Amino acid sequence: MRLAGKKVIALVDDEFEDLELWYPIYRVREEGAEVHLTGLEKGKTYIGKYGVPATAEYSWDELDAADYDGILVPGGWAPDKIRRYSAVLQLIRDFNEAGKPIGQICHAGWVLISAKILEGVTVTSTPGIRDDMENAGAIWKDEPVVVDGHIVSARRPPDLPPYGKAFCDALAGE
């Protein structure tokens, strides 16, 4: 249980990619971390692209990055909604400034783009937003997982096993 005592935020909104939310959550929980599902509305149940529900335990406005060790941003269509909320963008900037692990997969890169933290950062994502990532100043690689300091990125669901491990390694400080 190398992540015992660690706390992680998982962002959620409607049309998240079901596997890209739940797989990393279970992966970090397996290693002992506590994960809080967070959305615009506390107590609201959000529905993934394939019908899997996720209920927010906290609203974004209640959160302080100082209370957490890492943050997970799922893909799907949810990132295009999540990126519109200043509370989320401030959380991402706070995690970035503190050098705490930020996990993003597939379309989740949109949230990091809107937080304006990708200048000079090497990342991956779904190829569909490669241009967006590069236009934000990122160095894009077509690899299953890319780790650049505290930012852990992956392309799509088949990359979830190495992404989960890389995010857990980052949380563990390895």
Side-chain angles (χ1 to χ4, degrees):
M1 302 299 268
R2 67 180 174 149
L3 300 181
K6 301 282 185 180
K7 289 173 52 180
V8 175
I9 293 168
L11 303 177
V12 67
D13 204 329
D14 284 320
E15 298 186 86
F16 59 88
E17 207 299 335
D18 306 62
L19 287 173
E20 293 171 358
L21 176 70
W22 287 108
Y23 186 105
I25 287 173
Y26 289 135
R27 182 68 179 82
V28 298
R29 283 179 177 167
E30 285 172 348
E31 297 235 19
E34 181 179 343
V35 181
H36 294 159
L37 277 163
T38 66
L40 177 63
E41 296 177 48
K42 178 180 183 173
K44 180 178 177 180
T45 298
Y46 297 90
I47 305 299
K49 285 172 52 178
Y50 304 105
V52 177
T55 302
E57 301 164 289
Y58 296 91
S59 73
W60 298 322
D61 292 331
E62 296 179 273
L63 304 174
D64 185 338
D67 297 332
Y68 290 88
D69 302 291
I71 189 166
L72 289 165
V73 187
W77 305 125
D80 191 37
K81 298 170 188 169
I82 291 170
R83 70 192 287 184
R84 301 172 194 195
Y85 296 98
S86 60
V88 170
L89 300 181
Q90 189 59 53
L91 276 172
I92 296 293
R93 286 190 287 270
D94 291 346
F95 274 94
N96 189 58
E97 289 170 16
K100 294 179 180 181
I102 299 170
Q104 67 97 20
I105 184 168
C106 201
H107 286 83
W110 279 336
V111 178
L112 281 64
I113 289 168
S114 292
K116 300 185 183 344
I117 66 164
L118 291 180
E119 183 69 40
V121 178
T122 303
V123 294
T124 193
S125 66
T126 178
I129 66 166
R130 175 184 180 167
D131 290 347
D132 300 329
M133 300 291 268
E134 290 177 338
N135 288 336
I139 301 156
W140 191 89
K141 302 281 184 189
D142 187 11
E143 298 175 6
V145 175
V146 174
V147 178
D148 188 346
H150 60 283
I151 298 178
V152 181
S153 57
R155 297 175 301 190
R156 55 182 74 94
D159 302 326
L160 283 163
Y163 170 65
K165 181 184 182 318
F167 186 78
C168 288
D169 289 349
L171 274 176
E174 298 174 0

mmCIF file of all heavy atoms in Angstrom, residues 15 17-18 35 38 45 61 73 79 81 98 100 105 111 118 141 168-169 171:
data_model
loop_
_atom_site.group_PDB
_atom_site.id
_atom_site.type_symbol
_atom_site.label_atom_id
_atom_site.label_comp_id
_atom_site.label_asym_id
_atom_site.label_seq_id
_atom_site.Cartn_x
_atom_site.Cartn_y
_atom_site.Cartn_z
ATOM 1 N N GLU A 15 -20.699 12.689 -19.746
ATOM 2 C CA GLU A 15 -20.042 12.170 -20.944
ATOM 3 C C GLU A 15 -18.540 11.971 -20.769
ATOM 4 O O GLU A 15 -17.778 12.046 -21.723
ATOM 5 C CB GLU A 15 -20.350 13.033 -22.163
ATOM 6 C CG GLU A 15 -21.839 13.049 -22.494
ATOM 7 C CD GLU A 15 -22.122 13.774 -23.774
ATOM 8 O OE1 GLU A 15 -22.051 13.124 -24.829
ATOM 9 O OE2 GLU A 15 -22.423 14.986 -23.713
ATOM 10 N N GLU A 17 -15.342 9.585 -20.329
ATOM 11 C CA GLU A 17 -15.055 8.266 -20.890
ATOM 12 C C GLU A 17 -14.994 7.318 -19.701
ATOM 13 O O GLU A 17 -14.148 7.456 -18.821
ATOM 14 C CB GLU A 17 -13.719 8.278 -21.653
ATOM 15 C CG GLU A 17 -13.603 7.257 -22.754
ATOM 16 C CD GLU A 17 -13.710 5.794 -22.362
ATOM 17 O OE1 GLU A 17 -13.423 5.410 -21.210
ATOM 18 O OE2 GLU A 17 -14.083 5.010 -23.244
ATOM 19 N N ASP A 18 -15.927 6.390 -19.632
ATOM 20 C CA ASP A 18 -16.130 5.541 -18.454
ATOM 21 C C ASP A 18 -14.841 4.887 -17.952
ATOM 22 O O ASP A 18 -14.511 4.984 -16.763
ATOM 23 C CB ASP A 18 -17.186 4.480 -18.765
ATOM 24 C CG ASP A 18 -18.476 5.090 -19.290
ATOM 25 O OD1 ASP A 18 -18.436 5.736 -20.358
ATOM 26 O OD2 ASP A 18 -19.524 4.934 -18.648
ATOM 27 N N VAL A 35 -9.595 8.546 -2.984
ATOM 28 C CA VAL A 35 -9.963 9.322 -4.171
ATOM 29 C C VAL A 35 -11.322 9.962 -3.945
ATOM 30 O O VAL A 35 -12.263 9.288 -3.526
ATOM 31 C CB VAL A 35 -10.014 8.440 -5.440
ATOM 32 C CG1 VAL A 35 -10.382 9.284 -6.658
ATOM 33 C CG2 VAL A 35 -8.693 7.730 -5.667
ATOM 34 N N THR A 38 -15.263 14.557 -7.882
ATOM 35 C CA THR A 38 -15.662 15.949 -7.748
ATOM 36 C C THR A 38 -16.280 16.473 -9.042
ATOM 37 O O THR A 38 -15.809 16.163 -10.126
ATOM 38 C CB THR A 38 -14.450 16.821 -7.376
ATOM 39 O OG1 THR A 38 -13.533 16.825 -8.460
ATOM 40 C CG2 THR A 38 -13.763 16.297 -6.133
ATOM 41 N N THR A 45 -25.237 12.961 -9.795
ATOM 42 C CA THR A 45 -24.735 11.784 -10.492
ATOM 43 C C THR A 45 -24.552 12.134 -11.960
ATOM 44 O O THR A 45 -25.492 12.523 -12.641
ATOM 45 C CB THR A 45 -25.701 10.596 -10.336
ATOM 46 O OG1 THR A 45 -25.788 10.273 -8.946
ATOM 47 C CG2 THR A 45 -25.206 9.374 -11.101
ATOM 48 N N ASP A 61 -15.805 23.925 -6.073
ATOM 49 C CA ASP A 61 -15.621 25.114 -5.237
ATOM 50 C C ASP A 61 -15.180 24.777 -3.819
ATOM 51 O O ASP A 61 -14.649 25.634 -3.121
ATOM 52 C CB ASP A 61 -16.915 25.937 -5.186
ATOM 53 C CG ASP A 61 -17.256 26.571 -6.525
ATOM 54 O OD1 ASP A 61 -16.323 26.852 -7.295
ATOM 55 O OD2 ASP A 61 -18.449 26.772 -6.795
ATOM 56 N N VAL A 73 -7.702 13.743 -14.458
ATOM 57 C CA VAL A 73 -8.643 14.339 -15.399
ATOM 58 C C VAL A 73 -8.981 13.276 -16.443
ATOM 59 O O VAL A 73 -8.099 12.851 -17.188
ATOM 60 C CB VAL A 73 -8.048 15.588 -16.094
ATOM 61 C CG1 VAL A 73 -9.115 16.275 -16.942
ATOM 62 C CG2 VAL A 73 -7.456 16.550 -15.072
ATOM 63 N N PRO A 79 -14.123 16.726 -20.699
ATOM 64 C CA PRO A 79 -13.132 17.793 -20.592
ATOM 65 C C PRO A 79 -13.528 19.094 -21.281
ATOM 66 O O PRO A 79 -13.159 20.175 -20.819
ATOM 67 C CB PRO A 79 -11.876 17.194 -21.241
ATOM 68 C CG PRO A 79 -12.043 15.731 -21.061
ATOM 69 C CD PRO A 79 -13.522 15.481 -21.195
ATOM 70 N N LYS A 81 -16.367 20.352 -21.223
ATOM 71 C CA LYS A 81 -17.243 21.047 -20.271
ATOM 72 C C LYS A 81 -16.433 21.508 -19.063
ATOM 73 O O LYS A 81 -16.546 22.659 -18.631
ATOM 74 C CB LYS A 81 -18.368 20.118 -19.830
ATOM 75 C CG LYS A 81 -19.261 19.674 -20.965
ATOM 76 C CD LYS A 81 -20.200 18.585 -20.521
ATOM 77 C CE LYS A 81 -20.936 18.041 -21.735
ATOM 78 N NZ LYS A 81 -21.667 16.847 -21.466
ATOM 79 N N ALA A 98 2.585 23.577 -7.533
ATOM 80 C CA ALA A 98 3.107 22.790 -6.412
ATOM 81 C C ALA A 98 3.897 21.564 -6.878
ATOM 82 O O ALA A 98 4.493 20.859 -6.057
ATOM 83 C CB ALA A 98 1.951 22.355 -5.501
ATOM 84 N N LYS A 100 2.652 18.829 -8.040
ATOM 85 C CA LYS A 100 1.930 17.610 -7.662
ATOM 86 C C LYS A 100 1.426 16.898 -8.915
ATOM 87 O O LYS A 100 1.089 17.552 -9.911
ATOM 88 C CB LYS A 100 0.745 17.943 -6.760
ATOM 89 C CG LYS A 100 1.160 18.501 -5.411
ATOM 90 C CD LYS A 100 -0.053 18.828 -4.566
ATOM 91 C CE LYS A 100 0.333 19.375 -3.221
ATOM 92 N NZ LYS A 100 -0.873 19.668 -2.395
ATOM 93 N N ILE A 105 -5.714 11.984 -19.683
ATOM 94 C CA ILE A 105 -5.775 10.976 -20.730
ATOM 95 C C ILE A 105 -6.756 11.397 -21.816
ATOM 96 O O ILE A 105 -7.786 12.015 -21.527
ATOM 97 C CB ILE A 105 -6.149 9.589 -20.147
ATOM 98 C CG1 ILE A 105 -6.114 8.509 -21.235
ATOM 99 C CG2 ILE A 105 -7.456 9.634 -19.392
ATOM 100 C CD1 ILE A 105 -6.175 7.079 -20.710
ATOM 101 N N VAL A 111 -8.307 20.414 -20.743
ATOM 102 C CA VAL A 111 -8.369 21.098 -19.445
ATOM 103 C C VAL A 111 -7.022 21.744 -19.135
ATOM 104 O O VAL A 111 -6.952 22.890 -18.700
ATOM 105 C CB VAL A 111 -8.814 20.128 -18.330
ATOM 106 C CG1 VAL A 111 -8.835 20.829 -16.973
ATOM 107 C CG2 VAL A 111 -10.194 19.545 -18.649
ATOM 108 N N LEU A 118 0.836 24.142 -20.363
ATOM 109 C CA LEU A 118 1.528 23.180 -21.216
ATOM 110 C C LEU A 118 2.715 23.734 -22.007
ATOM 111 O O LEU A 118 3.376 22.971 -22.713
ATOM 112 C CB LEU A 118 0.534 22.522 -22.177
ATOM 113 C CG LEU A 118 -0.468 21.579 -21.522
ATOM 114 C CD1 LEU A 118 -1.395 20.982 -22.572
ATOM 115 C CD2 LEU A 118 0.244 20.490 -20.744
ATOM 116 N N LYS A 141 3.945 13.746 -28.281
ATOM 117 C CA LYS A 141 4.535 12.463 -28.686
ATOM 118 C C LYS A 141 3.413 11.437 -28.852
ATOM 119 O O LYS A 141 2.472 11.417 -28.067
ATOM 120 C CB LYS A 141 5.500 11.942 -27.613
ATOM 121 C CG LYS A 141 6.631 12.870 -27.275
ATOM 122 C CD LYS A 141 7.707 12.806 -28.295
ATOM 123 C CE LYS A 141 8.883 13.673 -27.866
ATOM 124 N NZ LYS A 141 9.861 13.829 -28.885
ATOM 125 N N CYS A 168 0.539 6.273 -10.440
ATOM 126 C CA CYS A 168 0.833 5.775 -9.086
ATOM 127 C C CYS A 168 2.298 5.992 -8.741
ATOM 128 O O CYS A 168 2.620 6.384 -7.611
ATOM 129 C CB CYS A 168 0.454 4.308 -8.954
ATOM 130 S SG CYS A 168 -1.322 4.020 -8.917
ATOM 131 N N ASP A 169 3.194 5.751 -9.684
ATOM 132 C CA ASP A 169 4.620 5.994 -9.447
ATOM 133 C C ASP A 169 4.858 7.471 -9.120
ATOM 134 O O ASP A 169 5.633 7.790 -8.205
ATOM 135 C CB ASP A 169 5.450 5.611 -10.678
ATOM 136 C CG ASP A 169 5.529 4.118 -10.921
ATOM 137 O OD1 ASP A 169 5.127 3.309 -10.043
ATOM 138 O OD2 ASP A 169 5.979 3.743 -12.025
ATOM 139 N N LEU A 171 2.700 9.601 -7.818
ATOM 140 C CA LEU A 171 2.162 9.863 -6.475
ATOM 141 C C LEU A 171 3.090 9.347 -5.388
ATOM 142 O O LEU A 171 3.216 9.942 -4.323
ATOM 143 C CB LEU A 171 0.798 9.191 -6.304
ATOM 144 C CG LEU A 171 -0.417 9.949 -6.777
ATOM 145 C CD1 LEU A 171 -1.665 9.090 -6.629
ATOM 146 C CD2 LEU A 171 -0.598 11.257 -6.042
#
